[in-house]
Amino acid sequence: MTNVIAEIKKDYLYNLFLKGERADGRAFDQYREFSVERNLISKAEGSALVKLGSSQVLVGVKMQPGEPFPDTPNRGVIITNAELVPLASPVFEPGPPNETGIELARLVDRGVRESKAIDLEALCITPGKQVWIIFIDVHILDDCGNILDAASIGAIAALLTTKVPASKFGLGEDYPLPVKDIPIATTAIEFGDVIMFDPDSDEESIANTKLTVLSTADGSICGMQKSGTGVLRQEQIYRIVDIACEKAKEIREKFLEE
Amino acid sequence: MTNVIAEIKKDYLYNLFLKGERADGRAFDQYREFSVERNLISKAEGSALVKLGSSQVLVGVKMQPGEPFPDTPNRGVIITNAELVPLASPVFEPGPPNETGIELARLVDRGVRESKAIDLEALCITPGKQVWIIFIDVHILDDCGNILDAASIGAIAALLTTKVPASKFGLGEDYPLPVKDIPIATTAIEFGDVIMFDPDSDEESIANTKLTVLSTADGSICGMQKSGTGVLRQEQIYRIVDIACEKAKEIREKFLEE
Amino acid sequence: MTNVIAEIKKDYLYNLFLKGERADGRAFDQYREFSVERNLISKAEGSALVKLGSSQVLVGVKMQPGEPFPDTPNRGVIITNAELVPLASPVFEPGPPNETGIELARLVDRGVRESKAIDLEALCITPGKQVWIIFIDVHILDDCGNILDAASIGAIAALLTTKVPASKFGLGEDYPLPVKDIPIATTAIEFGDVIMFDPDSDEESIANTKLTVLSTADGSICGMQKSGTGVLRQEQIYRIVDIACEKAKEIREKFLEE
Amino acid sequence: MKMIAMDGSNISFFKEGLRLDGRRADEFRPLKIEVGVLARADGSCYVEMGGNKVIAAVYGPREVHPRHLQEATRAIVRYRYNMASFSVEERKRPGPDRRSYELSKVSREALEPVIFTSYYPRSVIDVFVEVLQADAGTRTAGINAASVALADAGIPMKSMISACAAGKVADTIVLDPMKEEDNFGQADMPIAMTPTGQITLLQMDGHLTKDEFQRAMELAIKGCRDIYEIQRKSLIEKYNQLGSELAVVQEAEVL
Amino acid sequence: MKMIAMDGSNISFFKEGLRLDGRRADEFRPLKIEVGVLARADGSCYVEMGGNKVIAAVYGPREVHPRHLQEATRAIVRYRYNMASFSVEERKRPGPDRRSYELSKVSREALEPVIFTSYYPRSVIDVFVEVLQADAGTRTAGINAASVALADAGIPMKSMISACAAGKVADTIVLDPMKEEDNFGQADMPIAMTPTGQITLLQMDGHLTKDEFQRAMELAIKGCRDIYEIQRKSLIEKYNQLGSELAVVQEAEVL
Amino acid sequence: MKMIAMDGSNISFFKEGLRLDGRRADEFRPLKIEVGVLARADGSCYVEMGGNKVIAAVYGPREVHPRHLQEATRAIVRYRYNMASFSVEERKRPGPDRRSYELSKVSREALEPVIFTSYYPRSVIDVFVEVLQADAGTRTAGINAASVALADAGIPMKSMISACAAGKVADTIVLDPMKEEDNFGQADMPIAMTPTGQITLLQMDGHLTKDEFQRAMELAIKGCRDIYEIQRKSLIEKYNQLGSELAVVQEAEVL
């Protein structure tokens, strides 16, 4: 039964796509309604709740002093974790992150890391001994599609509000976390040569291929990831990258730059 | 088949209860035969084997110096663990403690901790650096009902025989662990408005509701826990608490005070 | 079906054995073709690839400074691990080592340890503080029978090529790991009173009983392990031990002594 | 004004008869309940109680995996209490610890008595509670949210469950202890109950004389009754807005 | 009197021809066997051997979970060797480690040869051994207890299994090494066997010449034979008391 | 000659137009492919690429365990990327970490598009890749080996998959970065594709302008094409030697 319904839904959506339409009336490159609420969690050093259509992702940032990695003795450490808790979707299961959760966490992490958004050297307390550890914890609350973009935006939004809790640890006064760039993830799916951004869960369920592009404020690319068991042609990739950087700029300007 | 037998047993026991009787002839507030053997395990700093009817629980206490918790720099640390090993019952399974084992360990721990039975400040060696760690390990050997009371009594009995092994660690002479109170757990089940203490496994299997009361030497309550998927009325709870504190006094005087 | 084939194979092999023959024409005490390639893995401090018939086992040795065990403050530490990765056999499964893998690792470890092949006291850097840790990692690549002998030979071959990486850790110049003995494992199976060395996978699958003998250069025994659900008579054990020490000598001289 | 010294710090829990946050001894913290806050779940509820922020979701009745957990004559109920890493002062490692296993167990046992599990043999009703911010009282906040989420999911229930703790600080019995009172107080006693006074959860930590215990129980019961009214209102509001499905809630009231 | 120096400490293992605890080289430690010590288990046995205290329980034949472990033509045997945290000098973390996995495997393989597993297809016979106090020789003590517990559970067996170690200390072959001899000795060789001399367990650690090996084997075999008599007596006593079920044991003897 | 300073160390990536190991920017490292190197596996392949040494095995189509993973209409594909403990400079703890879970996922997704999974409903095709020595580019080496191993196992495929990375070092786009270039370079972009240019894997880390990205893509695609020829040759050689089974490979070419 489930499969029959899935097939019908697939046909329905595909026929719409052929007419250039999506089920909720959006253009192919249009994001769903979007909001970013900051600092909801006072126990966290920074936090942001992103709503993307019905999807909801809460990101909390905690900081504490700790040991640096031996090969980067004078740089702070970023640790990113994502919890795809079973509250958020009938397909999520309790237990340690599975490969979907790990991939999501690693992509969010890569966006922050590769864009050099955080000045890690400014987070050294005593070289080789003590640096700030930044924990970015992504908590998915409601998965109605494209939680990766929501998580990535939530992460940088939370970092932008983060105060380094120096006073709590007797390390001077609190100060804002030094953030130097605003990486944004934008994700498109491909289906029958249609490219579509910000897929909802129905759209995700029929597409075999997804491409996420992480881009920086200067319009460059700082990360990419194809996922799914489909293929992409070179020109499709170029097309997605072009739109992705544009979309990222819009999102950055609208939601993340003061 | 199993269910049929279970139903027959349930009916049989229930009919007995209505007549004010239990299968083994005990009164509703009467404990099974009881014994506490101490110091059976010479490798442990303290130990006690409790037999409660056919139930057998062995508790061992080990001590070693270790780091205090950061928020209690001058207090010893208690770590309580319970192993419901598959030797003890056909329904126990190998593997890390499940929620039943965790609940049991946490209740035993709470009895010791909340009664302030152990003078934790006397267990500080070097403030902020080194304190005594007390490991209370509950090993269930034969589960014929009410292992929680047996475990709780075993824990305090073992602690009462514990010698702090200072000489082993070059920290002076051994001395008895300073114990200041004797918390006792007493557990009752409720079934058809009958309240019954020290249930055996058959009685446990038919009751939906259980209430454990931990009480101290001064007749106060230092812990309570309802378990099971049934309900209790306020006056039932009061009744259980009254009898529980009385029973605890009897047990304390008979088995644990010299 | 599988069982039928297994039964036929069993009959076939057994009938051969009665005639004093093995499927591949070997004598009962004869090893399959054998090779030991050393230092294939330049990232490891020592390594050896052992091919025993179609079986392939790769052993890598890594070394790093670390803390000694409290009860042996001036001796290096050996840690042996075996990965029976699913690449090597249809019956191996991903996940932490199961009891077969653990037994194999512990036997390899025992061979090295009990023969006192490594001069652990020469591996002390600062007594009680820092010693060399030797990691012996056994990686099974192709299990066509008797991987234990291959692993054991690979381990000592890899150790014989190991350079202590002192310079990498600022501890002076690199030097060869001090190896004082060459323990060799030789394994026989028993089947219908036939004793057969170096069993291939078919032979292993029909035998209930296996005996591994670890012997040292002076012809003594430094370890033994019976495995499988069969039995051995005293004289069978004596016979295996006699041949095992002889075979070990041959292998040692041919492959491991320069 | 009473004083208590513990761990070298002097905390005054009362000032002119009022608590640190201005409450009277028998008051609970501001309580906000929002029904139906998640799209994927079959039922959901967000609860804020003082500094606590929790969200509950219900999925089911649905198929049980793994199958050997199935019960032939009733639905099983699962309850997962989970704290977000960032919900507490010092970051918590993700995943369940011993405390959360215990709280999941007693919370499940607090709700199961009112669920008509026999309606759905071989099924599971899954209740997930996420603590997004913790400030003492997360288990009771979670049960309150879960109870409303179950109603929101249309799970047939004999009644609501309402939960609240009483505590003892500076020898005074207080309702709904907050963090400071919980950390440095003398006792904490969370309960859960039906509107008709059947207790489904009872835990206690600390030190209470029998008399104090009875006073704490009375106070906690009163708290549960008041919380019940707010739960009820939140459901009626939600379903009046929608102009439908009210039946579910009313059925729950009657039974 | 011989001397041995190891790890900077001088230990004399012998004094006037006797060992540290007064035994001769070919004596085992005091052995006490109690049958049927647990109520829940189908069979059980408590063994004390010197400072070792172990208890074994047998459950089964019973259904196998998970089902894919079932064998169509025979019962599977499972064996779990487990040490209580407090059984050793330095507290052991609860749960199995690599050593206990290996001991469980070889112990299972020591018993399985005498169990008529084909009588119970698709079933499991579970053997659980808890080490309550350890003093060298826990695996052999566990096998001795398990073998009696199997008989107590009425599991059809071809024969008993008896286990004992021989060792080498100060170049002398000794029976049943205790802790000090095991820690600082030169070899340890536990075996298990049937009354008719079929070896079902054989392990060796240390250093033995071929000649020493044969002498150790002879000694260990003798130890097993003596232990067998004590196992047998403990079962007869138990079942004479009960005045029944002796048949089970006798059947075991005959086969 | 360009210079780049990072982490206090000055590395010159180019000397007279050539890279540290003497390659031109658009060259990949020496590539060696051996087919059918394992006896137990249904198909296997060993790949050396520069300092990388990886081995791939394929088992299947075979039965799926646990059964609930079965798909009614197709085979599932599993891919396990694993690093040997001794394959890297600092010993790696055995077992999967987060990185290897991610690489396993994207590698599986790189191969699955060309496998005719619908031929084998309810089955699994298992691909295991062991990294024996790592020197940047293990995921692409693994995919190249796995693709050949699938053909060697006779798994029907629409085409081969070839994989190669492009990178950016000292502002220059280079093919197939080695360890030093990967560690201290500015970007790394591994791709995998079919001989007809369908991209099945694309990942990128670092910093690339859109123009650089397109140049990197062109270069990586060229790399894949060249690697494909070597993969093809290795299979033909193997099956010419055997004088058989060539059909399998040819089928793969045609589809």
Side-chain angles (χ1 to χ4, degrees), chain C residues 75 80-81 99 102-103 105-106 110 114 211 218 220-232 234 237-238 241-242 245, chain E residues 7 98-99 101-102 105-106 108-109 112-113 189 197-210 213-214 217-218 221:
Chain C
R75 304 177 66 170
T80 307
N81 189 59
E99 65 177 26
I102 290 170
E103 187 183 36
R106 283 174 61 85
R110 244 181 266 165
E114 301 294 336
L211 183 63
D218 67 356
S220 300
I221 308 161
C222 67
M224 300 180 69
Q225 182 106 330
K226 179 236 161 200
S227 66
T229 59
V231 302
L232 285 171
Q234 195 177 344
I237 295 171
Y238 290 177
V241 167
D242 277 346
C245 293
Chain E
D7 286 322
R98 288 168 33 129
R99 177 177 169 275
Y101 277 119
E102 188 197 347
K105 178 181 186 289
V106 297
R108 185 186 71 237
E109 292 172 345
E112 207 168 330
M189 186 180 83
Q198 292 187 299
I199 311 280
T200 64
L201 174 131
L202 170 57
Q203 295 186 289
M204 203 282 278
D205 270 356
H207 185 275
L208 291 176
T209 65
K210 263 195 250 169
F213 159 64
Q214 293 197 1
M217 180 64 91
E218 300 288 346
I221 286 174

Side-chain angles (χ1 to χ4, degrees), chain F residues 106-138:
Chain F
V106 297
S107 300
R108 184 186 72 237
E109 292 173 343
L111 292 169
E112 208 169 330
V114 299
I115 299 173
F116 285 108
T117 54
S118 61
Y119 288 14
Y120 305 105
R122 303 191 181 284
S123 310
V124 61
I125 295 160
D126 270 313
V127 183
F128 301 116
V129 169
E130 296 293 323
V131 177
L132 307 179
Q133 185 166 292
D135 190 35
T138 56

Side-chain angles (χ1 to χ4, degrees), chain D:
Chain D
M1 189 180 126
K2 299 182 189 182
M3 295 279 288
I4 187 164
M6 187 170 264
D7 286 321
S9 70
N10 291 330
I11 299 184
S12 349
F13 286 111
F14 294 94
K15 203 169 175 176
E16 296 165 17
L18 296 180
R19 291 150 77 181
L20 290 172
D21 56 0
R23 282 187 286 158
R24 290 189 317 270
D26 64 351
E27 260 182 304
F28 54 75
R29 290 169 288 181
L31 173 62
K32 182 177 140 191
I33 300 182
E34 257 178 88
V35 189
V37 295
L38 300 177
R40 288 307 289 270
D42 296 320
S44 61
C45 176
Y46 173 75
V47 163
E48 253 182 55
M49 190 164 194
N52 295 302
K53 299 183 179 189
V54 308
I55 191 163
V58 170
Y59 285 87
R62 60 182 178 181
E63 230 182 305
V64 185
H65 292 291
R67 201 165 299 184
H68 69 87
L69 296 176
Q70 279 187 4
E71 292 283 344
T73 59
R74 61 178 186 84
I76 62 166
V77 178
R78 290 191 292 214
Y79 191 107
R80 183 181 187 262
Y81 168 99
N82 185 50
M83 296 187 102
S85 301
F86 47 72
S87 64
V88 280
E89 202 55 43
E90 190 173 350
R91 179 180 183 264
K92 190 197 159 289
R93 272 174 75 116
D97 52 16
R98 290 169 31 129
R99 178 177 169 275
S100 65
Y101 277 118
E102 187 196 348
L103 295 197
S104 295
K105 177 181 187 287
V106 296
S107 300
R108 184 187 71 237
E109 293 173 342
L111 293 169
E112 207 168 329
V114 299
I115 299 174
F116 285 108
T117 54
S118 61
Y119 289 15
Y120 306 105
R122 304 193 179 283
S123 309
V124 60
I125 295 162
D126 271 312
V127 183
F128 302 116
V129 169
E130 296 293 322
V131 177
L132 306 178
Q133 185 165 291
D135 190 35
T138 56
R139 96 193 62 183
T140 49
I143 290 168
N144 288 329
S147 177
V148 172
L150 280 164
D152 184 42
I155 305 289
M157 293 158 80
K158 290 177 205 152
S159 72
M160 275 282 113
I161 290 294
S162 311
C164 193
K168 177 170 136 192
V169 279
D171 292 329
T172 305
I173 302 299
V174 298
L175 188 61
D176 182 30
M178 60 188 175
K179 196 74 200 160
E180 293 82 356
E181 293 171 338
D182 190 34
N183 284 1
F184 303 109
Q186 297 155 292
D188 183 36
M189 186 179 86
I191 74 165
M193 66 173 217
T194 67
T196 59
Q198 292 187 300
I199 311 282
T200 64
L201 173 134
L202 170 58
Q203 295 186 289
M204 204 282 279
D205 270 356
H207 185 275
L208 291 177
T209 64
K210 262 194 250 171
D211 177 62
E212 287 169 339
F213 160 63
Q214 294 199 0
R215 280 190 286 136
M217 181 63 92
E218 300 288 345
L219 196 56
I221 286 174
K222 188 186 157 300
C224 288
R225 286 197 208 287
D226 293 345
I227 285 167
Y228 168 65
E229 289 305 322
I230 302 175
Q231 289 174 303
R232 200 167 157 266
K233 233 173 273 172
S234 73
L235 279 164
I236 289 172
E237 243 166 60
K238 163 83 184 298
Y239 288 106
N240 273 349
Q241 276 182 355
L242 298 178
S244 79
E245 284 180 87
L246 190 57
V248 174
V249 187
Q250 285 175 332
E251 182 191 10
E253 306 294 308
V254 171
L255 285 157

Side-chain angles (χ1 to χ4, degrees), chain E residues 67-102:
Chain E
R67 200 164 300 183
H68 69 88
L69 297 176
Q70 280 186 4
E71 292 284 345
T73 60
R74 60 176 187 89
I76 63 168
V77 177
R78 290 190 294 213
Y79 190 108
R80 183 181 186 261
Y81 168 99
N82 185 50
M83 297 187 102
S85 302
F86 46 74
S87 64
V88 282
E89 201 54 44
E90 191 173 351
R91 179 181 184 264
K92 191 195 158 289
R93 272 173 75 117
D97 53 15
R98 288 168 33 129
R99 177 177 169 275
S100 65
Y101 277 119
E102 188 197 347

